[in-house]
Amino acid sequence: MPGTDMSLEQLKIYQGSYPAPVDFEFHWEEVKRKLEAYTFKPEEEVVRFAGSKLRYSRITITAPDGTLLRAKYIRPQEGEQPRKYPLVVQFHDYPQASRSWFHLSRYAAVGYAVLAPDCRGQGGCSEAGEPGKGATGFGPMFFGLQDRVEKLYLHKIIEDALLWILAGKLLTETEKEKIVVYGEGQGAGLALSTAALFSEIGLCGAHYPMLCDYYRVWEKDFDINAYEGLRYYFRWKDPLHEREKEVFDKLAYVDVKNFAPMIRGKVLMSTGLQDVVSPPSAQFAVFNGLQCEKRHLVYPKHGHELINFFENEWLNCLIPG
Amino acid sequence: MPTMDMPLEQLKQYRGSTPCPEDFWEFWEKKVQEVWELPLEYELFPAEIPHAKETAFYDLWIRGVRGARIHAKYVKPLTEQKVPVILQFHGYPGSSRGWFEQTAFAGMGRAVIAMDCPGQGGSSEDKGGRPGATAADHIIMGLAGEPEQLYYAEVFMNTCLMVRLALTLEGLDSDRIYVNGASQGAALALVCTALNQPYIKRVAALYPFLSDYRRVWEMDRDIIVYNGLAYHTRWFDPMGEKLEETFTRLGYIDVQNFTERITCPVLCGTGLMDDVCPPSTQFAVFSGIKGPKKHLIFPEYAHEEIPAFDDKLISFFGVEEDELCLEQI
């Protein structure tokens, strides 16, 4: 079996290379509790496309640290009666932006509204916020690595993702008991994180997830491409790895594999065995940690890329059978 | 300004380097007539995706040129009203994109018929049997025979069947047949429009493939999808003594020769970093269009998804009036 990582047999039993902090679940329940206590109001600005029958908007929310976060929001054509729609919250890959308005229009064809946030400081419309202590001479993923856990960039984008679920519930046309999450790469990691903390999310699509098993990423030299900030950190700040444990202890709080056992809804996940961005082993560590109803579609000759076959399966999951 | 090709000012003036056969339109008028006279034999089957409340998904099989079984994905909004239809063509050498990708237009209230090209990544059948080499790309398949034996001559003819389907299938608005595609898909979209002009009301084409073969060859960009051109020279004309003949023959399937007959609005797109379909070959295609057109140029983009172009499709295919569809994107 081809691949960029260990054999498929080994992948199927691999559990990850770094333990979860003992207070991981407590830590994130606390974060969620604080967000639920935070008062905010999604601001909606209509985006006009001449001739379009769908309703396109830009939603802006203010994160607790004052950073303005933005998302695309598309609802199906308005009927005669006002109604509510099931909502897909779709997160994007690193370091990009929410998919195009055109791309996201697909959900209306199967009766869903879609909310697609832009991660702070990446290719979309959200502000960047403060970087936290540490170097900023590489992409934002590992900003704040010399600060406390809550100041890590990765902590902030997970927190932002949780806030977007709360924002989705505040939107008046959302059928609150029917929120599903989806993501690609980084976005799949974020989708899984939100599914872990909101047990009411019944379905999660995770297309080639990343943000998982950072120790494995480092150990197997996958700290290039999206993860290159980790390599720069060690080269610049800790070349002899004297404070290595401190770094990986922090990263364990933002490791998506540690969210996996908390998920209660269904998970549909994919991995391309040619993935050189998010190592397949790190992805399997996530999948093997899931204790919910789950299905893993493994593509031997695909890499870190959109796979039509997987999208077909996701579409199948969205249409009530 | 970044570019893989000549400067933008020259690109805007460039008119192509590949010869056009003298009987080009005579040849194609005959072929179009042939394909319009074929019996229209097609069947619809439920797709692997169940119908949603709002949208139906079908596998469509049609009898194509030389009796080949041609497959298309057919996605249709479920409504009592007639809906506009988009004929969608895919890139080389793939297949019609996934079902979910096809539903974006359905979300906007448009039906989609997305043909799989024969012998590529989709399900359509290639009858083969063409004279000449088959070990390189489809561009040169059949080049040793008559023009109608060229692989792409057959594919171009099959695109006409999609127009006939759009006119025949129930619930489609036959006054609103639109065409869309990127790369090979853009090439097929433009050819399909040129050959069926009265029926097609709008066409969008992002970085078209299958154009200005001589220019590609001269630039040494006869790699990747154009690699067949290099193989053809290496195998059958190593000293380059029959180039005029070869490129004139390829003129029958050169998109730039078709576009002068397009009269409906055209939305075009080019990334100047395109290292697959050189920008000059794309400009040769677009400069030949005499009807209303808008050419969007993306200096930092290559042969890849361009979200800003995709977003223009919403209004281009959404606005009611044909005369406003380019203005209001």
Side-chain angles (χ1 to χ4, degrees), chain B residues 141-317:
Chain B
M141 276 194 197
L143 197 51
E146 295 302 313
E148 59 263 33
Q149 289 178 298
L150 287 162
Y151 168 84
Y152 274 110
E154 226 172 85
V155 180
F156 292 179
M157 289 170 76
N158 280 324
T159 68
C160 302
L161 292 173
M162 300 302 116
V163 181
R164 292 184 62 195
L165 277 173
L167 292 167
T168 308
L169 288 166
E170 268 176 48
L172 302 183
D173 182 348
S174 56
D175 289 327
R176 289 193 188 155
I177 302 175
Y178 306 147
V179 190
N180 182 50
S183 194
Q184 171 184 261
L188 299 182
L190 292 165
V191 169
C192 177
T193 304
L195 295 180
N196 300 281
Q197 188 49 98
Y199 300 109
I200 310 295
K201 297 300 191 292
R202 296 173 204 177
V203 55
L206 181 61
Y207 41 74
F209 174 46
L210 305 179
S211 163
D212 204 3
Y213 302 105
R214 177 92 199 212
R215 168 79 183 159
V216 172
W217 186 93
E218 297 280 0
M219 285 180 77
D220 291 332
R221 298 310 300 172
D222 47 357
I223 53 171
I224 317 172
V225 292
Y226 280 114
N227 207 198
L229 300 176
Y231 276 114
H232 190 266
T233 307
R234 289 169 60 88
W235 292 342
F236 305 114
D237 188 16
M239 310 276 284
E241 292 157 320
K242 291 180 281 189
L243 292 175
E244 193 63 19
E245 187 192 322
T246 298
F247 286 115
T248 306
R249 177 63 55 90
L250 284 169
Y252 288 103
I253 54 164
D254 189 329
V255 178
Q256 63 173 317
N257 295 333
F258 290 86
T259 50
E260 63 180 14
R261 289 216 176 164
I262 297 178
T263 52
C264 69
V266 190
L267 180 64
C268 323
T270 297
L272 292 185
M273 302 297 285
D274 198 326
D275 56 353
V276 179
C277 296
S280 53
T281 67
Q282 300 182 38
F283 276 77
V285 165
F286 296 140
S287 65
I289 299 169
K290 298 199 176 87
K293 61 181 169 186
K294 201 171 252 184
H295 188 178
L296 304 177
I297 294 162
F298 301 90
E300 282 79 16
Y301 278 84
H303 206 75
E304 60 185 319
E305 182 186 337
I306 305 182
F309 183 85
D310 289 347
D311 283 345
K312 299 291 184 193
L313 301 177
I314 298 174
S315 293
F316 181 64
F317 291 127

Side-chain angles (χ1 to χ4, degrees), chain A residues 201-213:
Chain A
I201 294 177
L203 177 64
C204 170
H207 203 4
Y208 49 89
M210 57 185 285
L211 311 186
C212 36
D213 209 3

